[in-house]
Amino acid sequence: MTIHLPQGPYEPRTTPLDLAPGGSPLASRTVFSAAHVVADPYADISPDSPAAVDWDATLAFRRHLWSHGLGVAEAMDTAQRGMGLDWAGAAELIRRSAAEAKSVGGRIACGVGTDQLTGPATLAEVRAAYEEQLALVEESGAQAILMASRALAAAAKGPEDYLETYAHLLRQASEPVVLHWLGPMFDPALDGYWGSSDLDTATGTFLKVIAEHPDKVDGIKISLLDAEREIGVRRRLPGGVRCYTGDDFNYPELIAGDDQGFSHALLGIFDPLGPLAAHAVRVLDTGDTQGFRDLLDPTVELSRHLFQAPTRFYKTGVVFLAWLAGHQDHFTMVGGLQSARSLPHLAKAYELADRLGLFPDPELAESRMRALLAVNGGTR
């Protein structure tokens, strides 16, 4: 039955892709999905209040990802770190998710930042904040992801401050960590990270940190939406240091790789694409690169739509698709962020995801899309 979307009439699918949980462990690539949090829609709070999280639904979504063989990258940008989820909420999320991972045998890595700092900070205060979060993540039994820090970006005077801060943290880490370079398109406060707005200069500093501590760096996650730069950095990494792509625009080609290497993955888009992404990697595990590309290349249009500027609001589309897919019972977000994208944007996301067969129950997705249209201006 035709649904009248803002962009025009659309005939929804009637059958989803067959993407059941289970299957062999992913072998050729290490793949993390950066997972969103589910808000509590009945909490009587304001946008400025601490986040109210529906813990049961949040952990159920992580079990969904683990059931398909994906790792979970916890308390990252996708979980609204710095955009509704404060450090107290993130700490609770890390504790609960790490315990859940242990109970089901799931792989988990957690973000380590400095978001407990609420104002201008000295470099010593930045280091102490990082240390507090690193200790919590390691005590939880999860792998640490050293995230880019707004406080460090504000306090650092140049590349040497980054080199000193990261050297200090890497010496303290008990196990190899993932270093995360998040570009300003995801967080404008991170402009000039690594001590320079010139990306070539910043890349040099980033690589120097890794070269000086290769035994403490499991890998790097680059989120700059620049495939050529990622490939260039990937080829300059010391042996044994992985590159985890964070490029939600070019991930199929980067994961597939070339004759000089490939990227693993730590991606926000693998929140809605989780089952399909896992299936595609299993195809890649057989050596069928073209089959992998045939599965994932068609998803890029959806990803580029969700991550269009202002990119930091991609989380709204991610949670919207989780609601349509039946992973949660409402379209409410921490901090009221469900209002950050327009109705036409969300309607296009529905159409693109439905064309891909991402919804386990297409009728449910259609029903919820119709309800959203009715509440937000009626149907045409």
Side-chain angles (χ1 to χ4, degrees):
M1 182 176 178
T2 301
I3 180 171
H4 292 276
L5 302 173
Q7 64 268 27
Y10 172 66
E11 295 289 336
R13 285 180 65 126
T14 57
T15 56
L17 293 177
D18 182 13
L19 298 171
S24 57
L26 307 187
S28 62
R29 304 291 188 271
T30 300
V31 181
F32 289 97
S33 165
H36 73 280
V37 293
V38 182
D40 178 355
Y42 291 109
D44 186 11
I45 58 174
S46 72
D48 295 329
S49 302
V53 177
D54 180 338
W55 294 112
D56 289 341
T58 293
L59 294 177
F61 187 75
R62 280 134 184 82
R63 291 194 297 272
H64 155 72
L65 294 171
W66 284 318
S67 75
H68 286 275
L70 299 167
V72 168
E74 187 56 277
M76 301 290 291
D77 178 68
T78 309
Q80 295 181 240
R81 288 288 292 268
M83 289 185 71
L85 190 70
D86 61 11
W87 166 235
E92 184 68 10
L93 179 62
I94 289 166
R95 293 188 192 97
R96 288 176 180 258
S97 290
E100 195 73 15
K102 189 178 299 183
S103 72
V104 302
R107 182 165 187 166
I108 188 168
C110 298
V112 171
T114 63
D115 45 332
Q116 67 269 60
L117 300 172
T118 57
T122 65
L123 287 173
E125 289 169 334
V126 170
R127 287 195 298 270
Y130 263 130
E131 288 170 348
E132 177 188 358
Q133 296 200 15
L134 177 61
L136 185 145
V137 169
E138 291 191 333
E139 288 167 5
S140 76
Q143 184 179 15
I145 302 170
L146 291 186
M147 300 194 299
S149 161
R150 292 175 179 175
L152 179 56
K157 304 302 182 185
E160 288 303 321
D161 287 339
Y162 288 89
L163 291 169
E164 181 180 345
T165 299
Y166 278 88
H168 178 83
L169 295 168
L170 290 172
R171 284 193 297 267
Q172 293 195 33
S174 60
E175 300 291 339
V177 307
V178 176
L179 296 181
H180 185 192
W181 184 358
L182 190 69
M185 67 288 294
F186 289 95
D187 188 342
L190 299 176
D191 186 38
Y193 211 74
W194 304 109
S196 177
S197 294
D198 178 79
L199 287 180
D200 290 336
T201 302
T203 297
T205 302
F206 183 52
L207 288 169
K208 187 174 182 181
V209 170
I210 299 163
E212 292 179 352
H213 308 276
D215 59 321
K216 287 297 186 75
V217 180
D218 164 69
I220 62 169
K221 169 175 158 57
I222 304 178
S223 299
L224 297 177
L225 305 183
D226 184 337
E228 290 186 8
R229 181 165 298 277
E230 178 174 321
I231 292 169
V233 172
R234 188 173 77 194
R235 291 175 178 173
R236 296 168 65 185
L237 291 174
V241 176
R242 310 181 201 199
C243 179
Y244 294 92
T245 187
D247 188 334
D248 300 278
F249 283 7
N250 304 292
Y251 51 93
E253 65 185 86
L254 291 164
I255 298 169
D258 54 32
D259 58 359
Q260 297 185 54
F262 57 82
S263 295
H264 300 272
L266 198 166
L267 288 162
I269 191 57
F270 281 4
D271 179 303
L273 291 184
L276 179 56
H279 174 59
V281 173
R282 289 190 178 93
V283 171
L284 186 60
D285 288 345
T286 70
D288 185 359
T289 301
Q290 188 57 54
F292 167 82
R293 294 294 300 268
D294 289 345
L295 286 165
L296 275 198
D297 282 358
T299 69
V300 171
E301 184 180 4
L302 171 64
S303 188
R304 291 188 174 217
H305 176 73
L306 296 181
F307 283 78
Q308 68 182 225
T311 302
R312 62 189 181 278
F313 294 124
Y314 75 88
K315 302 175 245 329
T316 301
V318 164
V319 174
F320 173 65
L321 294 181
W323 173 56
L324 295 184
H327 294 299
Q328 55 194 78
D329 294 331
H330 57 85
F331 178 39
T332 304
M333 295 180 67
V334 170
L337 207 63
Q338 67 271 12
S339 65
R341 293 294 202 189
S342 68
L343 184 63
H345 177 91
L346 297 174
K348 186 64 175 179
Y350 160 73
E351 179 184 343
L352 292 172
D354 186 68
R355 289 187 187 280
L356 292 168
L358 295 185
F359 300 127
D361 184 343
E363 289 186 5
L364 174 66
E366 179 187 345
S367 171
R368 290 183 170 182
M369 187 68 238
R370 288 184 185 277
L372 187 74
L373 290 168
V375 169
N376 289 275
T379 58
R380 299 182 186 181

